[in-house]
Amino acid sequence: MKKLAIIFLSFFFAFFNTGCVVQEKVKKLATDWKAEGREYGKEKVYSPDDTIETAFFNLKINSITTESEIEGYVPEDIAHQFIVLNVTIEDTDENFESIKMLCDDFELTWADLEGETTFPEYQFYEEQLPDSYDLKYGESKTGNLIFITPRMVTNYQLKYYELWDDNFVGNTYYINFDIEQE
């Protein structure tokens, strides 16, 4: 009886594990088919000095500063500060006449968030990038992304992931940077 139970359990686990492998292969084939030649699934890590080349645009961080106040605005919590990322974004996707950019395309995270992210503040002063704007092929726009973060945090990661019109997720880009505490 024990031998029969062992044979049955061995067969069950072998079949179950094979089923998982088959499911993963089917999922990969479906994703490859949906990709239609688009790159996906890669996580690329950069420093602030790098120019990030995505499927749609190039991103360059021009400067990173912290501010306690911007034109009379202050974070609600006095233990927080503004992180100001001055960036230049250039449309490099010749397949489209223009691309729509949103301030929410970029997210910021740090260790205490444990993988969660925060989004930039919506535009409240002129030097910020607009909440939404179009970039024509070859055109660039420079402006600030403003985030509110705890003052005690010094290590950050800016995140962008490619999201196509058909909701296909391409690659994910991370820019690691540090700031000095005030």
Side-chain angles (χ1 to χ4, degrees):
M1 185 70 168
K2 283 185 178 180
K3 286 183 182 180
L4 185 59
I6 291 173
I7 291 171
F8 174 75
L9 285 174
S10 297
F11 177 75
F12 175 77
F13 286 121
F15 180 76
F16 181 77
N17 285 338
T18 302
C20 289
V21 170
V22 169
Q23 282 180 329
E24 287 179 29
K25 287 182 180 180
V26 167
K27 184 178 177 182
K28 182 172 178 0
L29 285 172
T31 303
D32 286 344
W33 174 73
K34 187 177 179 183
E36 298 174 342
R38 298 176 285 193
E39 195 175 282
Y40 70 92
K42 293 182 181 173
E43 292 188 348
K44 301 180 178 190
V45 180
Y46 296 90
S47 78
D49 296 329
D50 297 327
T51 297
I52 293 76
E53 297 177 8
T54 75
F56 308 110
F57 59 83
N58 288 350
L59 172 73
K60 177 69 178 151
I61 295 179
N62 303 314
S63 66
I64 302 169
T65 59
T66 61
E67 301 290 337
S68 298
E69 175 187 332
I70 298 176
E71 293 190 358
Y73 293 98
V74 294
E76 288 181 23
D77 185 339
I78 61 170
H80 285 74
Q81 65 187 348
F82 292 112
I83 300 289
V84 181
L85 298 172
N86 182 269
V87 299
T88 299
I89 301 168
E90 178 187 7
D91 180 350
T92 58
D93 189 351
E94 60 190 22
N95 297 317
F96 299 99
E97 185 177 317
S98 67
I99 57 173
K100 179 166 249 3
M101 297 295 301
L102 305 169
C103 68
D104 290 350
D105 288 336
F106 302 97
E107 303 171 32
L108 191 68
T109 190
W110 54 91
D112 290 347
L113 291 182
E114 298 177 350
E116 295 295 317
T117 60
T118 185
F119 293 96
E121 295 297 300
Y122 290 113
Q123 187 176 18
F124 63 90
Y125 84 111
E126 195 172 308
E127 294 178 23
Q128 266 180 285
L129 287 171
D131 298 341
S132 173
Y133 54 97
D134 291 322
L135 277 179
K136 293 183 179 181
Y137 174 68
E139 186 178 57
S140 66
K141 189 160 195 67
T142 298
N144 294 333
L145 294 170
I146 310 291
F147 296 90
I148 296 177
T149 68
R151 290 182 188 276
M152 65 182 190
V153 176
T154 59
N155 306 90
Y156 295 93
Q157 191 171 57
L158 184 69
K159 176 183 177 183
Y160 166 77
Y161 63 92
E162 297 166 336
L163 184 61
W164 298 77
D165 287 342
D166 62 355
N167 290 325
F168 180 78
V169 177
N171 294 325
T172 304
Y173 301 82
Y174 297 99
I175 303 168
N176 296 326
F177 66 93
D178 299 322
I179 60 163
E180 294 180 26
Q181 278 186 304
E182 292 181 359

